[in-house]
C-alpha cells in the first residue's frame, strides 16, 4: 500500500457518484478530480468549481468580429476606394450588416472553442491524461490524492459504503501513458 | 438533467431491456469497432462509383469550361445553382437539430444530432463544389475574398449578396465543423480507451487528449450551449442570404420579400427529409432501433409536415401576390410557371412538397418506417424541383421575348448532380465506419430519465399514477422496437 498515490472509486451511476462525493466531503477528504463518461449536472456546485467564464470570452471575440467586419468594409468601400454607383452613398450601412453578423459568429465561435482547447490543454496529439480507462465508457470515477489525504483505509471504506463498485489503488497517476 | 423526474407521460427515447452505460457504448461503437457488414459494403461500393462519376464530370467541367453544361445566354443559372441551393438546404437540418433543439431542450435530438451534423458538413461540401465549379476558372476562387488591388481586381463588392453568400457559407461550414468536432471529442476518447495499437494512436491524436474531468465537461457544456446560441441565427442567416441571391435581383419571380422565410422553411423541410432518408436506413443497418426510436421518426415527420405546410402557404402567397401586384411581368412569370413549358416541374414540386407530406396527418403513415422513408424521398425530389422551378422558369422567359429559350441539361450536368449524391453518401458511409454515428455521451445523459426500462421500473414500483401508466403503455403501440406482450401485460 505504500506505493499508492491515487485512490480511484468507481461508481456505476451518477446518483451513487454524487452520494460518494457527499460522503467524502462530510469526512473532509479532498477530491482530486472526477472523471465521467458524460456531463453530470450539479457536480460543479458540489465540488465548489466556479462557473465557466467561456461565455464572456465568446462575447468578447464576437465583438472583435463585429468591429473587424465593420472597419474592414468601411475601409474598403468608403475610405480606400469609394465608388459612385448611380449617385448612391458609399457608406451603405445596411449592406454591411450581413458581413458584420457572419464575422461576429465566426470570431465568437472560433475564439471560444480555441479558448476552450487552450484552457483545457486540448490539441491534436496531446497524450491523454486518463486516470482510468473506463471513465470514458461506463464508470464514474472519483480520484483522491493520497499525498494530501494519507488515510487510504478510511477512504476505501467510505467509498465502498457509499456504493462504489470498485476501488483501485494506483501508483501511477495516468494509466494512459504506455 | 442526469437522472431526475421526467413525466411518465412522455414516450421513451431509449427502448430495450437491460440497457446499461456500457451497453450503450458497445451498441453505438459496434459499427466502428467491427468489420463492416455486407450492406455497408454494397452501399459504399455503389456510392463510391457515383462519386467517381462526379470526379470525372467535375474534371471534365474544369478542363473544358462551363460550356460543358447546358447553360445558355438567357439561362445562366440552372442545374448548378439548383444543386447548390438544394444541398445547402439539406445541410440546415443538422444545425437545426443540434442547435435549435438544444436551445429548446428537446432531448430527442441527443441520438440523432451527430449524424445530422455530419450530414450538414457533407451537404455543404457538395454545395460548395457547385459554387466553385460555377466560377468557371476555379483557380481564381480566392478573388471572392477581399484582397487588395495588387491582385488584379478592385475590392470585392460588399453591396452584393453573392459576396455575403461567400461569407455566410464559409462561416457556416467552418462553424458547423467546429461544433461537430467539439461534440465528437468525448466519443472519440471513448473509442480511444477501448482500442489498442495503431487504432489507439490514431484516435488518441483525434481525441485531443480528452479525459472527461469535471472542468472539461463544464467548459464543454458551456461551449455547446453558446455554439448552439450562435448557430441558430447563423443557420437562419445562411439561407436568408442564399435567398437574397435571388430576391435582390430584378428578375420577375425572384424579386419578392417572402423569399427569406420561405427559403428557410424549405431548407428545414428538405433537411429533415434527408435526415429521415439516411437515418431510417442507418438505424436498420447499424441496429440502432433502441436509440433512434419511432418517437424520433414521428417527431421528424411532424417537423416535415409543419415546414411543408409553411412552404405550401408560401407558394400560394407568391401566386396571390403576383396577381395582386398588377405587374404584368410578375403575373406572367407565375402563369408561365403554372402552365408554361415547365408546368410539369411546377406540378411535381406542388405534389411532392405540398400535397404528399399532408399524408403525415395520418398516424399510421407517420409511424410507418416504409411510408416515412418513401415520403422523405418524395420530399427530396420535390425540393429539388422547387429550386429548379424558381431558377429556370424565372430565367428562361423574363423580359424580352426575343431572348426566350428553353433549358436542356447536358450529360455533364446530370452526371455532376448524380455524382454529388454519390460523394455525399460516400462521405456519410465512411463517417459511420470511423466515428460514432450517435453521440454516446449525450445518449447516456438521458438513460436514467427517458428510457423505457426506467419508466417500466417506476411503473413496477407503483410510483406513478395508474392512469398515467396506462397512457404511457398505450403510447408504446407505435414503437417497432418494443415487443407487443411487453406492454400488454405490464
Amino acid at each position: 500500500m505504500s506505493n499508492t498515490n491515487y485512490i480511484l472509486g468507481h461508481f456505476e451511476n451518477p446518483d451513487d457518484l454524487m452520494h460518494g462525493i457527499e460522503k467524502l466531503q462530510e469526512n473532509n477528504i479532498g477530491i482530486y478530480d472526477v472523471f465521467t463518461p458524460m456531463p453530470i449536472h450539479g457536480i460543479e456546485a458540489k465540488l465548489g468549481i466556479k462557473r465557466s467564464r467561456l461565455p464572456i470570452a465568446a462575447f468578447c471575440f464576437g465583438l472583435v468580429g463585429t468591429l473587424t467586419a465593420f472597419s474592414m468594409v468601411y475601409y474598403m468601400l468608403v475610405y480606400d476606394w469609394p465608388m459612385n454607383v448611380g449617385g448612391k452613398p458609399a457608406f451603405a450601412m445596411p449592406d454591411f450588416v450581413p458581413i458584420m453578423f457572419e464575422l461576429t459568429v465566426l470570431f465568437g465561435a472560433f475564439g471560444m472553442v480555441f479558448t476552450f482547447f487552450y484552457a483545457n490543454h486540448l490539441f491534436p496529439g496531446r497524450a491523454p491524461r486518463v486516470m482510468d480507462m473506463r471513465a470514458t465508457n461506463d464508470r464514474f470515477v472519483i480520484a483522491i490524492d493520497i499525498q494530501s489525504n494519507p488515510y487510504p483505509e478510511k477512504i476505501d471504506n467510505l467509498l465502498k459504503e457509499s456504493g462504489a463498485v470498485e476501488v483501485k489503488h494506483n501508483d501511477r497517476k495516468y494509466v494512459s501513458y504506455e | 438533467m442526469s437522472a431526475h423526474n421526467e413525466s411518465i407521460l412522455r414516450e421513451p427515447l431509449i427502448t430495450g431491456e437491460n440497457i446499461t452505460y456500457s451497453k450503450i457504448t458497445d451498441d453505438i461503437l459496434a459499427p466502428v469497432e467491427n468489420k463492416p457488414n455486407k450492406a455497408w459494403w454494397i452501399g459504399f461500393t455503389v456510392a463510391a462509383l457515383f462519386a467517381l462519376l462526379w470526379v470525372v464530370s467535375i474534371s471534365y467541367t474544369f478542363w473544358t469550361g462551363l460550356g460543358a453544361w447546358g447553360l445558355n445566354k438567357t439561362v445562366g443559372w440552372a442545374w448548378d445553382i439548383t444543386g447548390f441551393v438544394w444541398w445547402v438546404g439539406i445541410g440546415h437540418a443538422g444545425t437545426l437539430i443540434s442547435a435549435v433543439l438544444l436551445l429548446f431542450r428537446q432531448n430527442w435530438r441527443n441520438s440523432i444530432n451527430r449524424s445530422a451534423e455530419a450530414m450538414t458538413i457533407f451537404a455543404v461540401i457538395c454545395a460548395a463544389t457547385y459554387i466553385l465549379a460555377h466560377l468557371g476558372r476555379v483557380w481564381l476562387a480566392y478573388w471572392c475574398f477581399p484582397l487588395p488591388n495588387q491582385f488584379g481586381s478592385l475590392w470585392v463588392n460588399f453591396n452584393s449578396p453573392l459576396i455575403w453568400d461567400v461569407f455566410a457559407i464559409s462561416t457556416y461550414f467552418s462553424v458547423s465543423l467546429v461544433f461537430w468536432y467539439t461534440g465528437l471529442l468525448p466519443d472519440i476518447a471513448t473509442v480511444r480507451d477501448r482500442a489498442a495499437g495503431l487504432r489507439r494512436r490514431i484516435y488518441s491524436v483525434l481525441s485531443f487528449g480528452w479525459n472527461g474531468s469535471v472542468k472539461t465537461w463544464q467548459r464543454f457544456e458551456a461551449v455547446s450551449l453558446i455554439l448552439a446560441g450562435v448557430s441558430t441565427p447563423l443557420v437562419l442567416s445562411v439561407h436568408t442570404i442564399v435567398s437574397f441571391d435571388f430576391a435582390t435581383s430584378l428578375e420577375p419571380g425572384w424579386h419578392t420579400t417572402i423569399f427569406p422565410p420561405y427559403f428557410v422553411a424549405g431548407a428545414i423541410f428538405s433537411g429533415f427529409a434527408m435526415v429521415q432518408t439516411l437515418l431510417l436506413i442507418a438505424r436498420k443497418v447499424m441496429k440502432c432501433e433502441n436509440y433512434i426510436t419511432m418517437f424520433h421518426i414521428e417527431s421528424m415527420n411532424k417537423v416535415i409536415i409543419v415546414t411543408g405546410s409553411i412552404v405550401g402557404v408560401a407558394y400560394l402567397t407568391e401566386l396571390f401576390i403576383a396577381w395582386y401586384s398588377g405587374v404584368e411581368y410578375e403575373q406572367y412569370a407565375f402563369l408561365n410557371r403554372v402552365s408554361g413549358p415547365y408546368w410539369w416541374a411546377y406540378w411535381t414540386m406542388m405534389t411532392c412538397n405540398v400535397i404528399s407530406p399532408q399524408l403525415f396527418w395520418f398516424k399510421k403513415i407517420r409511424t410507418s418506417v416504409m411510408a416515412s422513408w418513401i415520403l422523405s424521398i418524395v420530399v427530396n425530389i420535390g425540393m429539388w424541383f422547387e429550386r429548379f422551378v424558381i431558377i429556370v422558369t424565372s430565367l428562361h422567359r423574363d423580359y424580352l421575348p426575343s431572348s426566350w429559350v428553353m433549358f436542356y441539361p447536358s450529360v455533364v450536368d446530370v452526371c455532376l448532380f448524380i455524382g454529388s449524391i454519390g460523394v455525399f453518401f460516400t462521405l456519410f458511409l465512411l463517417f459511420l465506419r470511423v466515428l460514432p454515428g450517435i453521440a454516446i455521451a449525450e445518449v447516456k445523459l438521458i438513460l436514467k430519465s427517458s428510457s423505457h426500462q426506467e419508466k417500466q421500473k417506476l411503473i413496477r414500483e407503483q410510483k406513478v399514477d395508474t392512469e398515467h401508466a396506462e397512457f404511457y403503455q398505450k403510447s408504446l403501440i407505435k414503437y417497432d422496437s418494443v415487443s407487443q406482450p411487453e406492454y400488454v401485460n405490464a
Side-chain angles (χ1 to χ4, degrees), chain B residues 361-399:
Chain B
W361 286 107
F362 298 102
K363 188 157 184 149
K364 265 248 157 59
I365 293 178
R366 142 174 121 229
T367 55
S368 146
V369 173
M370 205 50 196
S372 306
W373 193 74
I374 292 170
L375 278 174
S376 76
I377 301 273
V378 167
V379 170
N380 282 322
I381 295 170
M383 284 309 288
W384 189 88
F385 272 102
E386 179 200 294
R387 278 65 181 252
F388 179 81
V389 164
I390 291 173
I391 293 165
V392 174
T393 62
S394 290
L395 283 175
H396 89 124
R397 289 180 176 180
D398 52 4
Y399 295 105

Side-chain angles (χ1 to χ4, degrees), chain B residues 286-304:
Chain B
M286 303 193 325
K287 298 192 182 64
C288 285
E289 283 97 341
N290 281 334
Y291 305 105
I292 301 167
T293 65
M294 191 48 78
F295 177 76
H296 295 86
I297 297 169
E298 197 188 358
S299 304
M300 286 194 273
N301 284 338
K302 285 176 182 169
V303 175
I304 290 176

Side-chain angles (χ1 to χ4, degrees), chain B residues 164-180:
Chain B
W164 304 344
D165 222 5
V166 172
F167 279 78
I169 300 284
S170 41
T171 301
Y172 181 56
F173 177 72
S174 45
V175 171
S176 302
L177 192 65
V178 161
F179 198 174
W180 179 66

Side-chain angles (χ1 to χ4, degrees), chain B residues 13-90:
Chain B
L13 299 177
I14 300 172
T15 58
E17 293 293 297
N18 302 322
I19 305 275
T20 57
Y21 291 113
S22 69
K23 184 162 181 348
I24 293 178
T25 316
D26 291 343
D27 283 353
I28 295 176
L29 288 186
V32 180
E33 291 178 335
N34 299 304
K35 290 242 157 64
N37 55 15
K38 215 178 200 171
W40 187 89
W41 275 114
I42 294 170
F44 183 75
T45 313
V46 174
L49 285 174
F50 280 110
L52 210 62
L53 182 68
W54 179 84
V55 172
V56 171
S57 40
I58 198 95
S59 310
Y60 181 75
T61 305
F62 287 158
W63 188 256
T64 47
L66 291 192
W69 296 351
L71 302 178
N72 53 48
K73 185 168 67 64
T74 308
V75 184
W77 280 6
W79 272 52
D80 45 314
I81 304 293
T82 303
F84 160 72
V85 182
W86 191 67
W87 279 119
V88 170
I90 283 172

Side-chain angles (χ1 to χ4, degrees), chain A residues 85-145:
Chain A
V85 182
K88 289 172 191 160
F91 184 35
M93 183 59 198
D95 290 356
F96 293 14
V97 173
I99 307 278
M100 283 164 67
F101 174 76
E102 299 302 335
L103 289 197
T104 307
V105 171
L106 186 70
F107 278 52
F110 272 80
M112 178 182 53
V113 168
F114 284 115
T115 313
F116 167 56
F117 289 166
Y118 175 80
N120 280 32
H121 308 276
L122 295 169
F123 57 85
R126 180 191 153 90
R129 303 192 171 183
V130 173
M131 294 179 77
D132 193 285
M133 292 304 202
R134 286 181 73 175
T136 51
N137 181 0
D138 61 339
R139 288 293 166 83
F140 301 77
V141 178
I142 302 181
I144 298 146
D145 187 352

Side-chain angles (χ1 to χ4, degrees), chain A residues 113-114 116-117 120-129, chain B residues 181-182 185 188-189 192 202-211:
Chain A
V113 168
F114 284 115
F116 167 56
F117 289 166
N120 280 32
H121 308 276
L122 295 169
F123 57 85
R126 180 191 153 90
R129 303 192 171 183
Chain B
Y181 200 78
T182 311
L185 289 177
I188 295 176
R192 174 197 71 199
I202 294 169
Y203 282 103
S204 179
V205 171
L206 294 177
S207 75
F208 287 18
W210 178 275
N211 67 0

Side-chain angles (χ1 to χ4, degrees), chain A residues 23-24 27 29 154-162:
Chain A
K23 265 272 155 81
L24 291 171
N27 290 281
I29 290 168
K154 188 182 165 197
I155 295 170
D156 274 13
N157 290 335
L158 276 173
L159 285 171
K160 277 183 187 143
E161 257 172 53
S162 56

Side-chain angles (χ1 to χ4, degrees), chain B residues 275-294:
Chain B
V275 173
Q276 201 78 289
T277 311
L278 290 180
L279 283 188
L280 289 175
I281 298 175
R283 103 194 251 269
K284 187 93 194 154
V285 174
M286 303 193 325
K287 298 192 182 64
C288 285
E289 283 97 341
N290 281 334
Y291 305 105
I292 301 167
T293 65
M294 191 48 78

